[in-house]
Amino acid sequence: MASRTQSSDMTPSQESGTEKSSIRSKSGRRKARRRHRNRLPEVEARARLKVRQPDDLLALIPYLIGFHPDEDLVAVFIKSGRVKLTTRTDIPPESAGDELAEWIDALAKRERADALALIAYSAASLPANRLLTRLMDRLSEHELTDVLYVGHGRWWSLTCGEECCPLAGTLYDLSSHPMSAAAVLAGLGVRANRRELEASISGPPEAELPRLVDAAEDLLAELEPFDSRAAAGELLVSIMDSAMADPSALDERNCLLLGLLVTDIYVRDSAWARIGRSDAEDHVRLWGSVVTRVPPVLAPAPLCLLGMAAWVSGHGALVNCCWERVSQVDPDYSMGKLLSDIGERGIPPSIWQEIKDDMQAELDADLPLLAV
């Protein structure tokens, strides 16, 4: 189903995944793919929030996927009482219900989920309810903890009778829900909708592009002394460390310098290898700032670094937005193709440390001065 492939978001416990790095040898990549397809380690969410009733689940979902759903189908995969994976897709036509069910079933089996929750958000109640009914029928072998239709500020449950779900539905208000407050305190963020998330990485205003291109060309002269990859890598690390310590240091000039530096694949990969589970959010902020200030010609590498940091920190929707924009500005950019695997395969970031170790070993061998 093409629409799902192009506009689906996966967030395994606020996490996603990707393929092994392209710096591996071909044989190494093949071995890595086989290994990772067969081993999907259990991961924990960054915050543990208890869901006791449908209202709680509806309050939490925007924080799991990064924005408030609109015309969306959300599937929550649960294992041992914890959210293992969250997926979002555009509401498909009813004729695509069987294919969507196969996709959800495959993910549930791969993740060894022992329960599912399905939520359809739509202003059109009849098509949404037909889709949910079809999915319930096709996914009957799985335990369905909740199957909800949400529209017009109310929710209806398809898994309970009128005693728990009145005919007129149940009103809910996320703004005052305790779960929303708990999610914010836990450090989870949310956008108004996916379009707002896409806009956040759309780059500078078009009117600014000629000036930024000229500024980037002027900065090339400053980079002439850094004519080796090792020297360029040292400059990159210096700027990154300054920005991590003081976000105000990441001004337009430094954003353009970072954008120029990571056009070199080895320098880019040294930045990639610096992303850790504990500081991935800092890398999201850093590369997010760069993306908003560099012209499209410099955007692919920063977008991919932002996407990879988003993957490690668990922002599945942001990962997909990054690869979608990379596919627009440079469809052949290889790292963008790695990002696309995140949305399509949902490989968990729990494998990141292994990838990082392998990447760092190769960087150390090729360019020791770029070592973290």
Side-chain angles (χ1 to χ4, degrees), residues 4-215:
R4 189 189 67 236
T5 302
Q6 293 301 317
S7 56
S8 63
D9 303 314
M10 295 191 183
T11 317
S13 292
Q14 284 263 10
E15 303 186 19
S16 295
T18 190
E19 197 78 34
K20 277 280 190 178
S21 166
S22 60
I23 63 175
R24 279 182 171 276
S25 66
K26 291 183 179 179
S27 61
R29 285 200 299 269
R30 284 193 293 267
K31 292 177 182 177
R33 287 171 182 150
R34 287 195 296 269
R35 182 165 64 249
H36 296 144
R37 284 172 181 166
N38 295 328
R39 179 181 58 79
L40 293 173
E42 186 166 355
V43 293
E44 294 187 359
R46 291 179 297 173
R48 296 180 182 177
L49 303 175
K50 293 183 179 180
V51 174
R52 296 183 173 88
Q53 56 189 8
D55 274 2
D56 295 341
L57 180 61
L58 295 178
L60 184 58
I61 280 175
Y63 297 90
L64 289 176
I65 66 174
F67 58 91
H68 289 280
D70 186 6
E71 292 291 325
D72 303 294
L73 187 285
V74 174
V76 181
F77 300 75
I78 302 162
K79 182 175 181 180
S80 302
R82 294 181 183 174
V83 173
K84 184 70 183 297
L85 175 73
T86 306
T87 70
R88 181 222 65 93
T89 181
D90 297 341
I91 290 282
E94 187 179 352
S95 60
D98 289 349
E99 186 179 354
L100 178 59
E102 290 176 6
W103 184 64
I104 294 173
D105 178 62
L107 287 174
K109 290 176 178 176
R110 193 198 68 182
E111 297 296 325
R112 299 179 181 177
D114 46 41
L116 297 173
L118 304 173
I119 306 93
Y121 296 81
S122 179
S125 61
L126 186 57
N129 276 279
R130 284 177 175 171
L131 173 65
L132 288 172
T133 301
R134 192 170 191 132
L135 291 176
M136 289 175 66
D137 181 55
R138 299 298 187 272
L139 297 170
S140 58
E141 66 178 277
H142 300 280
E143 180 185 350
L144 297 174
T145 59
D146 283 296
V147 180
L148 307 174
Y149 161 64
V150 182
H152 309 287
R154 297 172 180 267
W155 60 264
W156 289 260
S157 173
L158 278 69
T159 55
C160 73
E162 291 187 10
E163 66 278 4
C164 67
C165 188
L167 188 61
T170 302
L171 282 168
Y172 73 101
D173 180 9
L174 300 188
S175 62
S176 60
H177 196 284
M179 187 67 72
S180 298
V184 171
L185 289 174
L188 305 181
V190 64
R191 299 270 181 178
N193 50 52
R194 196 174 192 273
R195 293 180 295 279
E196 184 179 295
L197 188 62
E198 293 167 354
S200 72
I201 62 160
S202 62
E206 188 171 352
E208 289 286 300
L209 296 184
R211 182 185 64 80
L212 290 172
V213 169
D214 290 342

